[in-house]
Amino acid sequence: MDWGRAKSILIFAFLALNIVLGYQLWQDIRERMHSDMDWRSLSEETIRTMEEKQIQIKGPIPSETPSLREITYRYTVKQDQPVPLNNKEHSKVIFSHQETIAALKDEVPHIEEYSYDDSYRDNMFVLHQMMPTGFPIFDVRLDLFYDNQKITSYRQQYMELVESNEAPAQAVLPASKALGKLIEDHLSPGDVVKSIKLGYHGQQFDTDIQVAAPVWRVVLENGNDIYYVSANNAAVEHYQVDKKEKEA
């Protein structure tokens, strides 16, 4: 046996192992740094309230503060009942947006204009129509129902923008401010925040024309509570998903 060569191989192996371990350590430190940045965006009072109420936040706190304005739109499609698909397509345990668009584009109109939302129930995939700004309209949905790992039907809402005398765009309230408002005044002890997302939402009226404003949507992990916090003035709307909707 060539011991000199074997020794060289062992030294090289140890060096490679040290490089891998060093890289993993660097990744851990970097992730903690990003986490610290997220937490530093919250005020001391908010952090203190979180500790007192034992409130948890899963996932990052968004940092973007784009300039957005209210939008005016009308529904051109608003289906109440699911529409069966002619060619039932396989879904996957992990939703693949591009593959689903390719599979269903011939049956589901405008499907490429929707974006997948992972904050909802288990018996369907939920997508929201996207604005040209790149943010979703939470009130305009495309539901894809599946059974035995096959998408079997869909229920669609689709809107088109309406010209209006809109107020000028303004920078949205930071997510940390919206979250602070919820933690201090609305969330209950032990609540767990699952996701925080910027988009559009408005009260739904029995008229052709609807109005939506920029909001931060905060979803709790229990799957029952959704909060819409105005990205302009931090006004809060609490929405609870009822049992019938969860089983729809």
Side-chain angles (χ1 to χ4, degrees):
M1 177 181 291
D2 188 346
W3 289 106
R5 183 178 180 185
K7 183 178 179 181
S8 298
I9 292 174
L10 286 174
I11 292 173
F12 178 80
F14 279 121
L15 285 174
L17 178 61
N18 286 335
I19 290 172
V20 171
L21 293 175
Y23 177 76
Q24 291 178 341
L25 178 62
W26 176 76
Q27 287 283 78
D28 291 340
I29 293 173
R30 183 173 138 178
E31 288 176 5
R32 284 198 294 269
M33 287 176 64
H34 283 303
S35 177
D36 289 340
M37 288 177 66
D38 287 340
W39 288 110
R40 284 202 299 269
S41 68
L42 299 173
S43 69
E44 293 183 5
E45 182 178 357
T46 297
I47 294 174
R48 183 164 57 250
T49 303
M50 281 182 60
E51 293 173 349
E52 292 172 355
K53 291 184 174 182
Q54 296 184 326
I55 291 172
Q56 300 178 52
I57 301 174
K58 293 189 174 181
I61 300 173
S63 59
E64 73 260 45
T65 55
S67 292
L68 302 175
R69 58 167 59 89
E70 286 187 348
I71 60 170
T72 304
Y73 66 94
R74 68 164 59 92
Y75 286 104
T76 59
V77 177
K78 197 172 185 181
Q79 297 166 341
D80 294 324
Q81 299 298 323
V83 177
L85 290 169
N86 294 323
N87 297 314
K88 296 177 175 59
E89 298 292 342
H90 286 281
S91 69
K92 294 186 177 182
V93 176
I94 300 176
F95 183 88
S96 173
H97 192 193
Q98 294 303 320
E99 289 182 12
T100 301
I101 289 175
L104 301 179
K105 64 181 180 180
D106 292 334
E107 289 202 62
V108 182
H110 310 290
I111 190 173
E112 71 280 357
E113 297 181 33
Y114 294 82
S115 179
Y116 174 57
D117 189 337
D118 64 355
S119 300
Y120 285 84
R121 58 203 63 77
D122 294 333
N123 67 326
M124 69 173 77
F125 296 127
V126 175
L127 299 86
H128 293 291
Q129 189 173 346
M130 299 294 288
M131 281 286 296
T133 54
F135 297 102
I137 309 174
F138 296 123
D139 306 312
V140 185
R141 288 175 31 171
L142 171 62
D143 300 331
L144 302 177
F145 298 90
Y146 63 86
D147 183 43
N148 293 326
Q149 294 197 10
K150 285 189 176 183
I151 298 175
T152 58
S153 59
Y154 71 95
R155 182 173 57 204
Q156 185 177 33
Q157 298 172 337
Y158 185 77
M159 70 87 207
E160 62 181 16
L161 293 174
V162 176
E163 292 186 8
S164 64
N165 295 322
E166 299 168 333
Q170 62 182 41
V172 301
L173 190 76
S176 58
K177 297 292 185 183
L179 193 56
K181 174 76 171 177
L182 282 184
I183 291 170
E184 294 169 25
D185 299 336
H186 296 272
L187 297 189
S188 301
D191 278 345
V192 179
V193 174
K194 179 181 179 180
S195 68
I196 310 163
K197 194 170 186 177
L198 182 62
Y200 298 87
H201 167 71
Q203 295 290 337
Q204 295 290 291
F205 298 102
D206 190 19
T207 61
D208 290 338
I209 304 299
Q210 305 289 337
V211 176
V215 297
W216 288 103
R217 188 198 64 180
V218 178
V219 179
L220 299 192
E221 194 175 52
N222 62 21
N224 298 322
D225 295 280
I226 299 174
Y227 292 88
Y228 297 102
V229 185
S230 169
N232 294 327
N233 58 23
V236 176
E237 177 188 347
H238 181 199
Y239 174 75
Q240 288 188 303
V241 180
D242 60 34
K243 184 177 180 181
K244 289 183 179 180
E245 183 177 356
K246 291 177 74 174
E247 295 176 349

